[in-house]
C-alpha cells in the first residue's frame, strides 16, 4: 500500500463514522443464536452466533468476512428472521428501521415479517440455480417473488421488471428463458435483479460471486455496487474473499468462530489491522506481482460445539497470553469507527 | 538422452454431441503441446476459467480420458498403449492425482487412513500391516500430520485443510514423479490456503516431484509456479515463464484475465466502476 492512500481513503472512512449520525437501518444488539438439540436426554449446543452487535447505516455496504463454519450464514439467517429449529435465538435483538417504519424481527408477527420481506429486505443467495425454479421460466420467478409486493397490474409489473433488467444489461428475453439456458453470470444477475426489483432498503448478499468465474465476478460486483448506489439501499455483503471486500465494502466486520473480532472502515482495517487473525488474513493474501513468502496459519478452526475457553482464537494466536485462555475479550472501541476484541491489541501489541 | 518426464504433443479431446442427424463436434481440449523435463522439477500451472478444458487435460494426463488426437507420453510410453493391469499400476505409481474437494474425494463412510493403507498396499512393496502403517505415517509426516492424528478418523472429523493434507499425503505414498493437483486450494479456507500452497513448494524442493497445478486463481499461480499455460476454450493462448507471463501478458484473453483479478487493496477500489461491465462483456463476446 502506498503511503498516501490510507490517509485519503481514511478520511472518507472517518466521514462515515463522524458525519451527523444517521439512524442505522439495521441494529443488531447482543444477538446470540445457537443450534440446540436434545435427543435421548443428550443436550448439544452449537454456538454459531455468540453475542454479536453491529449496525448498518443507510446507503452503506457492510462487509462480513470469515472462513467457512464461523457462523456467517447463521448470522445473516438470524438477521433475516429466516430461522428454524434446531436454530434458536437465545438472546439479543434485531431491529430494522426502514425510513421511519421500524420492526423488531423477533417481536413481530409472521405476517409483519412476510410483509417486510422483499419490499424492504431482500436476499441475494449464493447458488443462483437453486433460487430460480429449474422447470419454470424466469418470468415465473419474478411473478412469484415480487408481484404481490409491487402492487400493480401484471402488464405494468412486467414493464417494471424489463426496465429493471436493462439496468443489469439483461435483455427482456431472459424472462422467457429457463434458468439452465443462461450462463452462470447471467443467472446471478437475474437473481440480483430479483432481489432489487422492489427497491428494498436493505439487501443481504451471501457469497453472490463465489461460484462465478474470475472474468465475470468483477463485472457482477460492479453491478451490485452500481445498483446499490442507485436505489440507495444498504447492503450486508458476506464473503470469505477479502479481495472482494477490499473493492466493495465501506465497513468490514471480521468473524471468527461465532464472534465478530474486529470491525472498522475497510481502508483503515487493511492499512492497520489490530486483531492477530485479521493481521494474518490480510498479510497472507497472495497478489500477482508479489512472490514474497507467505505463511499459512497453523491449527484448525475451533469446533463451535466445544469452543476453547477464553478468546476462541488463542490456540492459534501468535500473541496468546495467559489471560487469553481464561477470559473472553469484549469488542472495544479502538479509534474512530473501529472496534476490536483482543487483549493484546488493547495493550497496543500487534502481530 | 532419456525421454522427457511428460510429453504432451498436439493432444485434443473432441466430444461429439447431438443425435444421429445433427452431430456437433466440440473440442474440450484442442491441440495442446508441452513438455516437462525429467530432471527439472517444477510447478507447471494450467490456468483457465471454467469450461476452458483444464480439468479434461488433467484427466487425459492421468489416463482417465483417452486423447482423441495427438499423443501423451510419460517417460517415453504412449499412454494409449497402456493396456495391461500391471502397466496401468506402474503408471499410476508414478503419476498421482489430488482433487479439488477433499470432502468429495474421500468416501464419508470410510475411515480416512484406509485410503493411505490401500495406496501403500497397491503401489509400494509394503506387505505387512506394520510396513503399511510405517509408509502411511512417513507420508503424513511429510505434510505436517502424523498417523496418530488421522488413525480411525472419518472425513467429517477432520477440517478441510487437514483432509486436503491427507489427500496430498496419500498421493506421496507411492513416491510419484508427477503429481496432478486439480484446484487443490479452492475449497480450503483462507487461513489454511497458504500453508497448502507452501506445501507444494516444499514438495518440489525436498522430494523432487514435478507438480501440475491447475487453478483459476492467478494470485496463487504467480506465487508458486515456475511455468504456466493459459487456456481458453480448450486452446493454449499463452505460455511461458510464470512471472513474466502474469506480469506482462500479451494475448488479449490473458490481459482480460489479469485485469479481472481483484486487487486486495482498498485504495484501488475505484477501478470497480459499473460501466466497465458492459465493456468486459463485449470483450468476452468478441473473444468468443
Amino acid at each position: 500500500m502506498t503511503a498516501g492512500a490510507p490517509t485519503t481513503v481514511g478520511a472518507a472512512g472517518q466521514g462515515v463514522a463522524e458525519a451527523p449520525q444517521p439512524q442505522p437501518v439495521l441494529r443488531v444488539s447482543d444477538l446470540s443464536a445457537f443450534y440446540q438439540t436434545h435427543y435421548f436426554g443428550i443436550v448439544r449446543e452449537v454456538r454459531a452466533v455468540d453475542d454479536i452487535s453491529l449496525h448498518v447505516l443507510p446507503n452503506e455496504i457492510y462487509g462480513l468476512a470469515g472462513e467457512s463454519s464461523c457462523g456467517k450464514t447463521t448470522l445473516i439467517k438470524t438477521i433475516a428472521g429466516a430461522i428454524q429449529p434446531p436454530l434458536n435465538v437465545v438472546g439479543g435483538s434485531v431491529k430494522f428501521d426502514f425510513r421511519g417504519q421500524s420492526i423488531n424481527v423477533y417481536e413481530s408477527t409472521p405476517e409483519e415479517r412476510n410483509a417486510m420481506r422483499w419490499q424492504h429486505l431482500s436476499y441475494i443467495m449464493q447458488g443462483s440455480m437453486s433460487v430460480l425454479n429449474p422447470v419454470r421460466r424466469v418470468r415465473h420467478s419474478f411473478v412469484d417473488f415480487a408481484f404481490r409486493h409491487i402492487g400493480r397490474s401484471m402488464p405494468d409489473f412486467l414493464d417494471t421488471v424489463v426496465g429493471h433488467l436493462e439496468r443489469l444489461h439483461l435483455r427482456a428475453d431472459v424472462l422467457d428463458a429457463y434458468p439452465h439456458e443462461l450462463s452462470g453470470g447471467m443467472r446471478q444477475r437475474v437473481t440480483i435483479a430479483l432481489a432489487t426489483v422492489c427497491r428494498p432498503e436493505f439487501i443481504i448478499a451471501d457469497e453472490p460471486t463465489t461460484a462465478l468465474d474470475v472474468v465475470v465476478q468483477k463485472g457482477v460486483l460492479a453491478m451490485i455496487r452500481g445498483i446499490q448506489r442507485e436505489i440507495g439501499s444498504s447492503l450486508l455483503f458476506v464473503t470469505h474473499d477479502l479481495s472482494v471486500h477490499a473493492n466493495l465494502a465501506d465497513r468490514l466486520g471480521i468473524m471468527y468462530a461465532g464472534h465478530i473480532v474486529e470491525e472498522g472502515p475497510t481502508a483503515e482495517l487493511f492499512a492497520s489491522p489490530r486483531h492477530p487473525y485479521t493481521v494474518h488474513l490480510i498479510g497472507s493474501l497472495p497478489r500477482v506481482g508479489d512472490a514474497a513468502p507467505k505463511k499459512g496459519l497453523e491449527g484448525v478452526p475451533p469446533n463451535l460445539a466445544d469452543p476453547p475457553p477464553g478468546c476462541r482464537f488463542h490456540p492459534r494466536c501468535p500473541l496468546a497470553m495467559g489471560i487469553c485462555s481464561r477470559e473472553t475479550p469484549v469488542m472495544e472501541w479502538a479509534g474512530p469507527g473501529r472496534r476490536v476484541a483482543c487483549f493484546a491489541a488493547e495493550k497496543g501489541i500487534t502481530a | 538422452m532419456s525421454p522427457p518426464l511428460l510429453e504432451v504433443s498436439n493432444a485434443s479431446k473432441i466430444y461429439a454431441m447431438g443425435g444421429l442427424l445433427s452431430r456437433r463436434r466440440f473440442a474440450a481440449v484442442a491441440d495442446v503441446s508441452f513438455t516437462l523435463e525429467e530432471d527439472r522439477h517444477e510447478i507447471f500451472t494450467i490456468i483457465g476459467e471454467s469450461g476452458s478444458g483444464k480439468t479434461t487435460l488433467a484427466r487425459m494426463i492421468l489416463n482417465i480420458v483417452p486423447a482423441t488426437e495427438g499423443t501423451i507420453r510419460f517417460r517415453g510410453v504412449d499412454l494409449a498403449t497402456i493396456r495391461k493391469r500391471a502397466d496401468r499400476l506402474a503408471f499410476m505409481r508414478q503419476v498421482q492425482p489430488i482433487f479439488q474437494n477433499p470432502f468429495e474425494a474421500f468416501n464419508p463412510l470410510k475411515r480416512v487412513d484406509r485410503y493411505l493403507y490401500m495406496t501403500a498396499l497397491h503401489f509400494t512393496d509394503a506387505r505387512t500391516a506394520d510396513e503399511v502403517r510405517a509408509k502411511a505415517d512417513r507420508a503424513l509426516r511429510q505434510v505436517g500430520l502424523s498417523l496418530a492424528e488421522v488413525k480411525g478418523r472419518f472425513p467429517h472429523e477432520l477440517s478441510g485443510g487437514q483432509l486436503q493434507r491427507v489427500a496430498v499425503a496419500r498421493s506421496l505414498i507411492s513416491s510419484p514423479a508427477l503429481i496432478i493437483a486439480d484446484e487443490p486450494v479452492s475449497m480450503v479456507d483462507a487461513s489454511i490456503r497458504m500453508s497448502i500452497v507452501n506445501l507444494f513448494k516444499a514438495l518440489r524442493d525436498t522430494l523432487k516431484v514435478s507438480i501440475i497445478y491447475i487453478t483459476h486463481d492467478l494470485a496463487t499461480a504467480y506465487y508458486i509456479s515456475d511455468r504456466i499455460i493459459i487456456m481458453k476454450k480448450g486452446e493454449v493462448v499463452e505460455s511461458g515463464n510464470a512471472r513474466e507471463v502474469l506480469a506482462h501478458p500479451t494475448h488479449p484473453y490473458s490481459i482480460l484475465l489479469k485485469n479481472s483479478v481483484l486487487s486486495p487493496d482498498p485504495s484501488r477500489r475505484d477501478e470497480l466502476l459499473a460501466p466497465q461491465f458492459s465493456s468486459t462483456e463485449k470483450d468476452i463476446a468478441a473473444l468468443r
Side-chain angles (χ1 to χ4, degrees):
Chain A
M1 177 164 291
T2 56
T7 46
T8 50
V9 188
Q14 278 176 12
V16 172
E18 287 172 4
Q21 275 293 352
Q23 196 68 14
V25 180
L26 166 68
R27 195 186 281 277
V28 176
S29 331
D30 309 320
L31 184 69
S32 297
F34 302 161
Y35 292 90
Q36 295 168 317
T37 55
H38 29 82
Y39 293 124
F40 311 114
I42 298 167
V43 179
R44 273 192 93 215
E45 201 171 64
V46 175
R47 302 170 157 239
V49 170
D50 201 352
D51 200 17
I52 282 181
S53 300
L54 61 90
H55 65 273
V56 181
L57 300 174
N59 206 2
E60 180 185 50
I61 303 180
Y62 187 93
L64 199 60
E67 48 198 353
S68 48
S69 74
C70 73
K72 303 189 296 271
T73 301
T74 310
L75 173 61
I76 54 179
K77 270 190 195 162
T78 317
I79 288 174
I83 62 166
Q84 280 183 330
L87 178 60
N88 294 313
V89 170
V90 180
S93 66
V94 179
K95 284 183 191 137
F96 284 103
D97 186 359
F98 303 118
R99 294 180 191 137
Q101 184 191 349
S102 57
I103 180 167
N104 184 334
V105 173
Y106 291 100
E107 283 170 13
S108 57
T109 61
E111 291 74 30
E112 284 170 334
R113 284 201 294 265
N114 281 344
M116 160 186 90
R117 292 205 184 114
W118 235 253
Q119 189 149 26
H120 299 293
L121 167 71
S122 73
Y123 200 151
I124 305 173
M125 271 157 273
Q126 179 172 10
S128 51
M129 204 61 201
S130 48
V131 177
L132 304 169
N133 188 337
V135 297
R136 305 204 75 188
R137 296 180 198 275
V138 169
R139 173 197 309 275
H140 290 287
S141 298
F142 276 94
V143 173
D144 282 352
F145 275 87
F147 178 60
R148 68 193 185 96
H149 292 296
I150 285 199
R152 292 196 208 138
S153 71
M154 186 58 87
D156 252 20
F157 168 73
L158 289 176
D159 281 348
T160 317
V161 170
V162 169
H164 190 67
L165 286 173
E166 260 167 37
R167 288 199 193 108
L168 290 153
H169 302 271
L170 287 166
R171 287 205 315 247
D173 45 10
V174 299
L175 286 176
D176 291 319
Y178 288 98
H180 72 264
E181 295 176 309
L182 307 174
S183 72
M186 281 168 92
R187 234 174 7 236
Q188 198 61 51
R189 272 144 67 200
V190 168
T191 57
I192 293 167
L194 201 54
T196 50
V197 68
C198 300
R199 307 176 79 90
E201 285 92 339
F202 199 89
I203 304 167
I204 296 172
D206 185 9
E207 306 253 10
T209 59
T210 309
L212 297 179
D213 269 322
V214 267
V215 180
V216 186
Q217 165 173 293
K218 197 169 183 177
V220 171
L221 289 175
M223 203 144 263
I224 290 178
R225 192 164 81 178
I227 207 140
Q228 178 264 337
R229 293 280 188 256
E230 192 187 321
I231 62 182
S233 48
S234 308
L235 181 61
L236 179 63
F237 195 96
V238 180
T239 176
H240 65 275
D241 187 344
L242 277 176
S243 324
V244 171
H245 283 309
N247 283 276
L248 201 68
D250 299 318
R251 280 194 307 138
L252 191 56
I254 309 280
M255 264 188 102
Y256 185 81
H259 292 295
I260 288 187
V261 294
E262 185 163 7
E263 185 189 73
T266 309
E268 288 176 35
L269 207 71
F270 270 79
S272 60
R274 300 268 168 80
H275 196 281
Y277 179 64
T278 321
V279 171
H280 167 79
L281 279 185
I282 290 169
S284 70
L285 282 175
R287 295 154 203 246
V288 175
D290 173 16
K294 310 229 183 287
K295 277 205 194 113
L297 198 59
E298 291 305 315
V300 294
N303 177 0
L304 290 175
D306 180 24
C311 171
R312 290 181 179 179
F313 186 61
H314 85 263
R316 302 171 77 187
C317 181
L319 305 176
M321 302 177 289
I323 188 171
C324 298
S325 54
R326 295 191 304 270
E327 289 175 39
T328 309
V330 290
M331 285 290 271
E332 284 189 311
W333 293 102
R338 295 192 59 172
R339 292 189 296 160
V340 64
C342 178
F343 292 118
E346 221 173 275
K347 291 184 180 162
I349 310 166
T350 45
Chain B
M1 194 183 143
S2 65
L5 181 68
L6 182 76
E7 189 180 12
V8 179
S9 43
N10 308 102
S12 300
K13 176 69 196 176
I14 293 162
Y15 289 104
M17 294 198 298
L20 206 57
L21 297 173
S22 62
R23 225 154 167 69
R24 275 200 300 134
R25 284 156 62 81
F26 169 76
V29 173
D31 200 21
V32 172
S33 305
F34 62 87
T35 307
L36 298 187
E37 295 301 335
E38 179 74 57
D39 42 10
R40 196 173 68 194
H41 311 288
E42 60 180 339
I43 297 179
F44 183 85
T45 298
I46 303 174
I47 281 195
E49 56 181 327
S50 50
S52 63
K54 52 193 197 307
T55 299
T56 307
L57 181 58
R59 293 167 71 89
M60 284 159 73
I61 297 168
L62 285 166
N63 208 8
I64 301 171
V65 173
T68 40
E69 282 161 31
T71 53
I72 300 175
R73 285 197 173 81
F74 180 78
R75 288 186 164 153
V77 180
D78 187 345
L79 298 192
T81 64
I82 295 178
R83 286 274 184 272
K84 287 197 289 259
R85 178 179 152 83
D87 292 347
R88 195 178 295 278
L89 284 178
F91 170 73
M92 286 159 78
R93 186 172 301 142
Q94 298 171 72
V95 181
Q96 281 286 328
I98 297 168
F99 295 106
Q100 175 173 9
N101 189 342
F103 291 101
E104 284 173 8
F106 291 101
N107 185 334
L109 299 178
K110 288 180 177 155
R111 291 188 168 87
V112 169
D113 50 352
R114 180 178 176 278
Y115 285 89
L116 301 166
Y117 302 151
M118 296 311 277
T119 310
L121 271 177
H122 276 125
F123 296 128
T124 68
D125 51 10
R127 283 298 161 263
T128 67
D130 281 343
E131 281 169 3
V132 165
R133 265 189 227 112
K135 292 267 181 199
D137 191 46
R138 203 177 64 117
L140 285 167
R141 284 181 191 284
Q142 281 164 346
V143 300
L145 291 169
S146 68
L147 191 56
E149 288 173 71
V150 171
K151 201 172 178 180
R153 300 283 201 103
F154 287 97
H156 71 90
E157 295 179 88
L158 299 173
S159 73
Q162 281 177 317
L163 215 50
Q164 196 61 295
R165 279 168 187 269
V166 175
V168 177
R170 192 211 58 79
S171 74
L172 291 176
I173 285 181
S174 64
S175 316
L178 179 63
I179 288 179
I180 294 166
D182 189 357
E183 304 253 10
V185 292
S186 61
M187 300 299 287
V188 176
D189 276 323
S191 69
I192 298 159
R193 180 170 304 162
M194 288 321 284
S195 51
I196 303 263
V197 170
N198 285 334
L199 176 62
F200 284 117
K201 256 187 164 170
L203 293 181
R204 175 196 63 187
D205 297 337
T206 58
L207 297 181
K208 309 288 181 216
V209 192
S210 287
I211 296 167
I212 294 184
Y213 175 63
I214 296 169
T215 186
H216 62 262
D217 178 7
L218 270 68
T220 54
Y222 184 92
Y223 181 66
I224 64 167
S225 326
D226 300 304
R227 277 196 300 154
I228 191 172
I229 58 175
I230 297 177
M231 286 183 76
K232 185 201 125 204
K233 299 242 143 193
E235 289 170 30
V236 174
V237 296
E238 193 158 355
S239 61
N241 178 297
R243 302 271 153 84
E244 281 166 25
V245 169
L246 290 176
H248 308 287
T250 53
H251 189 277
Y253 179 74
S254 323
I255 295 170
L256 172 65
L257 208 57
K258 191 187 169 192
N259 289 340
S260 310
V261 177
L262 292 170
S263 150
D265 186 353
S267 64
R268 290 175 60 193
R269 56 190 290 158
D270 292 334
E271 287 173 19
L272 190 75
L273 295 172
Q276 198 223 354
F277 188 72
S278 48
S279 68
T280 313
E281 195 177 44
K282 227 185 317 159
D283 290 347
I284 300 169
L287 286 162
R288 279 176 183 156

